[in-house]
Amino acid sequence: MRLAREREQLCDTGRRMVETGLVLGTSGNISVRAGDLVAVSPGGVALDRLTPDDCPVLDMSGQVVEGGLKPSSEVPMHLAIYQSTGASAIVHTHSTQAVVVSATMSELPAIHYNVMLLGGPIRVAPYATYGTPELAEHVRAALEGRLAALMANHGAVAVGAGLPQALAAARLLEWLCAVYVQARTIGDPRVLTGAELTAVVERAARA
């Protein structure tokens, strides 16, 4: 079996995404890259029910090289991200707070300094129909210099050097969205300034 270890990782990650509420039903998708091949979750299968055999393997043109199930409809987005970043794994969620923010904001501001772990304030990619080249391009642009992005009226995407890192980024993004949404219920949230964020980066560099 090609990418056997990576396909096992997809199954483990899928279960964690469901357990932590990042996806419901058959929503969301995940992938991991190894060289010129990508293992991806299939369309129409709940992520907590995946088996390694369910997960097709593609080449970088999107051609299936192993696996009987149809790949996720978001393959164009995954491939666009791999082609333009150094990421080795991608997690796409429909988590509640991320969708709320993506439907109301053009950017998730720096509500907490941990946003710098994702590269800075989180951009919201303009809306486009799922699975289209237009959405893939919007998300690719929104991820520039970031480890995560929101997708207008859709969800979120996070990347990493591996699936554990991509999943951690997705969970952090959901937490940041939740903090912002809850802060808005009691007032006008204070947003950290560029200077304050720069100070955080400088302190982390000295640690």
Side-chain angles (χ1 to χ4, degrees):
M1 177 187 289
R2 298 192 192 191
L3 304 191
R5 181 175 65 87
E6 288 80 5
R7 290 155 97 173
E8 287 278 4
Q9 291 175 341
L10 288 179
C11 299
D12 292 341
T13 301
R15 285 191 289 272
R16 291 194 64 193
M17 289 170 68
V18 173
E19 289 168 358
T20 55
L22 293 176
V23 294
L24 291 173
T26 60
S27 68
N29 39 76
I30 44 181
S31 69
V32 59
R33 179 180 181 178
D36 292 329
L37 295 177
V38 175
V40 64
S41 56
V45 179
L47 294 184
D48 59 344
R49 298 182 181 179
L50 291 179
T51 68
D53 285 336
D54 290 335
C55 302
V57 176
L58 322 175
D59 62 23
M60 289 300 292
S61 72
Q63 191 73 28
V64 176
V65 299
E66 187 169 298
L69 295 184
K70 186 176 180 179
S72 165
S73 60
E74 297 288 14
V75 161
M77 178 183 73
H78 287 250
L79 294 180
I81 293 170
Y82 287 131
Q83 289 162 359
S84 61
T85 73
S88 295
I90 299 168
V91 168
H92 167 42
T93 76
H94 289 181
S95 49
T96 302
Q97 305 300 335
V99 174
V100 169
V101 173
S102 79
T104 56
M105 307 287 293
S106 60
E107 180 183 80
L108 174 66
I111 186 71
H112 189 278
Y113 59 80
N114 273 347
V115 75
M116 297 308 294
L117 295 174
L118 301 178
I122 304 301
R123 305 181 188 102
V124 179
Y127 181 81
T129 305
Y130 73 90
T132 61
E134 291 78 12
L135 179 61
E137 176 55 25
H138 291 333
V139 172
R140 184 205 61 76
L143 276 172
E144 187 173 347
R146 300 290 188 272
L147 295 179
L150 293 164
M151 305 155 70
N153 302 87
H154 185 157
V157 62
V159 303
L163 282 168
Q165 293 86 355
L167 179 59
R171 294 184 67 184
L172 175 56
L173 176 56
E174 178 69 358
W175 180 81
L176 290 166
C177 288
V179 169
Y180 186 78
V181 170
Q182 291 181 47
R184 287 291 297 266
T185 66
I186 61 173
D188 188 15
R190 181 183 181 279
V191 174
L192 298 175
T193 67
E196 289 168 334
L197 294 176
T198 297
V200 169
V201 173
E202 291 173 347
R203 179 170 177 79
R206 295 194 302 268

